[in-house]
Amino acid sequence: MAYRAPVRDIRFILDHVVGFAEVAATPRFQHATPDLAEAILDEAGRLCSDVLAPMNRVGDVTPARLENGVVVSPPGFAEGYRAIAEGGWVGMAARPEHGGMGLPISLALSVDEMMSGACLALHLKPLLSKGQIEALEHHAGPEIRALYLPKLTSGEWSGTMNLTEPQAGTDVGALRTKAVPNGDGTYAVTGQKIFITWGDSDLTANVCHLVLARLPDGGPGTKGISLFMVPKFLPDAEGRPGARNSLRVVSLEHKLGIHGSPTCVMQFEGATGWLVGEPHKGMAAMFTMMNNARLSVAAQGVGLAEAALQKALAYARDRRQGATPLSADGTILDHADVRRMLATMRAEVFAARAIALSCAKAIDMATATGAAEWQARAALLTPIAKAHCTDIACQVAHQGVQVHGGMGFIEETGAAQFLRDARILPIYEGTNGVQAMDLVGRKMADGGEAAFRLIDEVQRGAEAARARLPDLAGEVWAAAEALREGTEAMVALPLNDRFAGAVPYLRAFARVLGAGAHLKAALAEDDREALARVMIRRILPEHAALLAEAREGAAGLYAVGSDDLAA
């Protein structure tokens, strides 16, 4: 069975769980009517199911390659990218003054999910352009915006971000790339960057690199870093790609997955660049792009999990293996353990999708209203969505292989590709450990106030469900109360003790949010109750063990010495 975009589930969550109508009721997004939203999701679903999905396997078995210094894309990727660009999908959330649609992030993220489920390797290209568009909209000067944004929004040009260097990963402040003024308003950028997704391409007329580098007077660490636009081809006076810039692809990384997406080692050798934003304030500008990318990576996780689930379900419906409790010659779907795996996978995907779209809604409401409470909620939910949705992608893809049994270990079935492709997502855009530390650190600098508001909301939803679903409502309310107590304990801990328990705390938070989403769904539609019971009765109980681990602190970890870790 080929991937089919889950339009119905996305629309249900937007309408009945997230409350997208509140976004469409704002003056900023009043054009995002129900009819328009339905049309966009339906059309994107057709594109993903019929055009992009067939390329997923092609990109895996026929990877991108480097020939004579130029990246050659997998067969069919050019046609797929053209369909994305010509359909206006790159500029969905971009501002209309530069050719964008100005639509809410909630809708754009829904499309991101479907495209990622259809063909993640290809979707990474427009995804990075979207992040660059947002960074330029917020931080670039008028000349750069006027030149680059229309080209990026139309998909004629594409964008990248260049942060990582061999010695500077999470510690971006250790970078060595330099930018020296040329005396004419431009800068000569010199250095090497690694892990640059779609750092080169034969799909677009130009590739626009946002590069972090240090000016001669830039101090040490992240506070001395500036951001530069460094295009592959230097635009001429009319904005057309002209002379080749002094940059090149040194090599492509040999990766576990996403083979169709070229991950480049880039060398800049006095390449001409233009400053974006203020000198020494590059990290603030780049974080705009990174935060955009973090939520988009969450959508990638949901999309991949959905695709892995669809493949596993199709196999389970078809594979006959012995007598089952329901039939003398049934399919493996009738076996209790296989049903357990698939029901758990579906419950996990639903919960992850709801968390990602809740974060998107918070961003939309913050944009539309400027309210501090929505801004705080968006900030809190971003690391939860990024980390949890990508962890779930790996978990669901792993279970997908297990459902296939021995056939899942055979590459020809395609189940293994989802597991290989998913594994990068918990690493992308700040590892999930970094996301968890961000949650318990900077995002709780308010003493947990934003977290408590979210917990209050889950409990109000549980109270509203008590009359119809008293047992499920009670369990969700109690879990939210345990999360409240765990949050109070976490806020009281010294920072490094928080960090030691950050990952289980984030997962516990996501468990409670996911259960609350399922409870809302069951109230809205009776057919959703069975899945809600899987989430609340079988998965939610993890929260207690996770919160116990979160409180444990760091001392026990440091008591384990390096010799204890050796064989």
Side-chain angles (χ1 to χ4, degrees):
M1 173 184 170
Y3 169 84
R4 304 305 298 175
V7 175
R8 178 180 177 274
D9 250 24
I10 290 172
R11 286 173 55 188
F12 177 86
I13 290 175
L14 287 172
D15 292 342
H16 299 291
V17 178
V18 170
F20 178 71
E22 191 175 2
V23 175
T26 65
R28 173 68 178 266
F29 295 120
Q30 61 184 334
H31 59 298
T33 63
D35 286 346
L36 178 63
E38 181 178 359
I40 285 171
L41 294 176
D42 285 345
E43 184 59 32
R46 282 191 289 271
L47 171 67
C48 294
S49 302
D50 300 338
V51 178
L52 303 184
M55 299 173 191
N56 194 47
R57 188 66 178 157
V58 174
D60 190 54
V61 300
T62 312
R65 65 189 189 277
L66 188 63
E67 289 186 0
N68 302 316
V70 176
V71 166
V72 178
S73 302
F77 271 38
E79 291 76 14
Y81 180 78
R82 190 178 309 117
I84 293 171
E86 291 178 356
W89 301 109
V90 180
M92 279 187 68
R95 295 176 183 174
E97 54 262 38
H98 298 296
M101 298 184 191
L103 289 168
I105 294 293
S106 301
L107 293 180
L109 194 78
S110 299
V111 175
D112 282 342
E113 185 214 307
M114 291 189 281
M115 288 188 178
S116 298
C119 186
L120 175 61
L122 175 58
H123 179 240
L124 284 166
K125 186 172 180 64
L127 188 77
L128 284 163
S129 295
K130 292 178 185 182
Q132 189 172 110
I133 288 167
E134 184 168 357
L136 295 180
E137 285 178 343
H138 283 85
H139 301 284
E143 291 184 1
I144 288 180
R145 291 201 304 270
L147 174 58
Y148 286 91
L149 285 176
K151 302 286 191 182
L152 290 165
T153 301
S154 69
E156 183 180 347
W157 295 358
S158 61
T160 74
M161 58 179 176
N162 291 244
L163 293 80
T164 308
E165 300 181 10
Q167 78 294 335
T170 301
D171 182 15
V172 180
L175 66 78
R176 297 173 185 161
T177 299
K178 302 292 185 183
V180 178
N182 287 324
D184 61 356
T186 66
Y187 297 80
V189 177
T190 301
Q192 186 178 96
K193 299 289 184 177
I194 63 173
F195 304 155
I196 310 307
T197 300
W198 282 99
D200 191 54
S201 169
D202 57 353
L203 305 183
T204 53
N206 207 353
V207 181
C208 309
H209 300 283
L210 280 182
V211 183
L212 288 178
R214 202 180 305 277
L215 291 166
D217 60 344
T222 57
K223 293 183 179 179
I225 296 174
S226 301
L227 183 63
F228 300 87
M229 171 61 77
V230 187
K232 176 181 177 180
F233 295 105
L234 299 172
D236 63 16
E238 283 72 42
R240 296 171 300 204
R244 175 71 184 257
N245 210 345
S246 300
L247 57 90
R248 60 190 174 91
V249 180
V250 176
S251 63
L252 299 186
E253 306 287 6
H254 300 282
K255 308 187 299 271
L256 177 67
I258 52 169
H259 296 152
S261 168
T263 303
C264 304
V265 177
M266 300 295 304
Q267 187 70 37
F268 299 87
E269 299 167 336
T272 301
W274 286 262
L275 183 67
V276 175
E278 299 179 32
H280 319 311
K281 298 292 180 65
M283 283 305 297
M286 186 59 87
F287 263 115
T288 298
M289 186 173 185
M290 288 179 68
N291 278 327
N292 176 290
R294 283 170 177 166
L295 183 54
S296 296
V297 172
Q300 291 172 12
V302 179
L304 250 171
E306 175 69 40
L309 168 58
Q310 288 188 19
K311 178 167 281 292
L313 178 59
Y315 182 82
R317 282 173 165 167
D318 184 63
R319 173 68 167 164
R320 296 186 178 276
Q321 186 91 351
T324 77
L326 304 181
S327 170
D329 185 27
T331 67
I332 62 171
L333 180 58
D334 294 339
H335 288 289
D337 185 58
V338 175
R339 188 69 63 100
R340 174 192 62 82
M341 287 190 284
L342 289 164
T344 300
M345 292 161 73
R346 174 52 70 196
E348 293 280 29
V349 171
F350 184 95
R353 181 177 289 131
I355 290 170
L357 289 175
S358 293
C359 183
K361 179 202 173 174
I363 293 172
D364 286 332
M365 293 303 295
T367 300
T369 68
E373 185 172 325
W374 282 114
Q375 292 169 354
R377 174 166 295 197
L380 182 81
L381 282 172
T382 295
I384 296 174
K386 191 276 174 181
H388 186 69
C389 294
T390 57
D391 280 345
I392 291 305
C394 293
Q395 180 178 319
V396 169
H398 167 81
Q399 289 282 50
V401 172
Q402 193 71 13
V403 170
H404 281 78
M407 296 304 294
F409 201 65
I410 305 301
E411 284 288 355
E412 284 76 6
T413 64
Q417 181 187 344
F418 295 117
L419 183 56
R420 290 186 286 101
D421 287 355
R423 192 58 193 86
I424 186 58
L425 301 180
I427 299 170
Y428 265 158
E429 309 306 333
T431 66
N432 285 357
V434 170
Q435 302 302 316
M437 289 189 287
D438 178 47
L439 173 65
V440 302
R442 281 181 294 184
K443 301 305 167 55
M444 290 194 175
D446 62 354
E449 184 178 333
F452 294 136
R453 283 198 296 267
L454 202 49
I455 293 167
D456 289 342
E457 187 173 299
V458 173
Q459 290 188 316
R460 286 196 297 271
E463 291 292 353
R466 282 192 188 274
R468 280 186 51 199
L469 300 165
D471 58 332
L472 298 185
E475 293 190 33
V476 171
W477 193 96
E481 188 63 19
L483 179 61
R484 182 190 307 280
E485 294 169 1
T487 302
E488 292 168 350
M490 184 64 68
V491 170
L493 289 173
L495 191 58
N496 200 47
D497 285 329
R498 291 192 216 176
F499 288 168
V503 167
Y505 174 78
L506 183 149
R507 191 170 180 88
F509 211 132
R511 287 298 182 220
V512 172
L513 294 177
H518 270 281
L519 189 60
K520 270 190 177 182
L523 274 182
E525 189 175 277
D526 290 342
D527 289 348
R528 305 269 173 174
E529 182 181 335
L531 201 62
R533 288 190 176 277
V534 172
M535 180 70 200
I536 295 168
R537 302 301 298 273
R538 294 177 178 272
I539 301 173
L540 177 60
E542 289 181 7
H543 80 279
L546 292 165
L547 289 173
E549 182 185 358
R551 286 186 171 101
E552 189 63 18
L557 299 177
Y558 289 109
V560 181
S562 60
D563 290 343
D564 298 320
L565 298 173

